[in-house]
Amino acid sequence: MRKRNVQILFRLNEEEAAYLYELVERSGHSKEALLRSMLMGYRLCEKPDPEFYKIMRELSAIGNRINQLAAKANALDFVDAPMLREEAKRWREFRLDVSRSYLLPRKQTG
């Protein structure tokens, strides 16, 4: 059974519809997801450009390498493993902050 079984039909003029489609295009979400989020008080962020995703992939690769170095350092007891673990933790937090800033919808205040 569907979770959303209430259907609401409403009409827009040409200008309103054009603005809605512009928001949909900029957000990268469907009309339905956009309207549901707005109804719940969220403002969707614009979809980042392809360069953002390229940067995020590179940053993710760097983070993976740090984790590999930390595992190897811990196994060989050669490098300060606590320091590397702390850097890896900082990296994960940074990556989550960037994702929250650019990708996740934010609740509007006021």
Side-chain angles (χ1 to χ4, degrees):
M1 186 169 152
R2 291 182 176 214
K3 288 173 108 179
R4 295 182 176 103
N5 55 4
V6 176
Q7 183 177 3
I8 297 175
L9 174 67
F10 64 98
R11 298 182 186 277
L12 302 173
N13 64 31
E14 294 293 324
E15 183 181 334
E16 294 165 337
Y19 183 64
L20 174 62
Y21 288 117
E22 179 186 336
L23 291 176
V24 166
E25 174 93 15
R26 288 177 22 205
S27 73
H29 296 280
S30 67
K31 285 183 299 195
E32 294 81 6
L34 177 76
L35 292 171
R36 278 195 296 271
S37 294
M38 291 172 74
L39 179 67
M40 299 307 291
Y42 289 92
R43 179 187 61 81
L44 292 178
C45 302
E46 287 188 29
K47 184 178 179 182
D49 63 3
E51 185 66 23
F52 169 81
Y53 293 103
K54 180 181 173 185
I55 291 168
M56 287 299 289
R57 278 191 302 276
E58 182 62 29
L59 291 174
S60 184
I62 292 167
N64 287 335
R65 288 193 295 271
I66 289 171
N67 284 334
Q68 290 170 358
L69 287 170
K72 187 173 184 179
N74 192 35
L76 297 175
D77 199 26
F78 179 69
V79 176
D80 185 359
M83 183 184 84
L84 281 174
R85 276 195 293 276
E86 182 61 29
E87 290 304 316
K89 179 183 173 191
R90 278 193 213 167
W91 163 249
R92 284 189 296 274
E93 289 170 358
F94 168 76
R95 188 171 178 271
L96 285 172
D97 287 344
V98 170
S99 292
R100 282 186 205 110
S101 296
Y102 288 98
L103 297 176
L104 299 179
R106 287 175 278 199
K107 187 86 170 182
Q108 286 182 335
T109 57

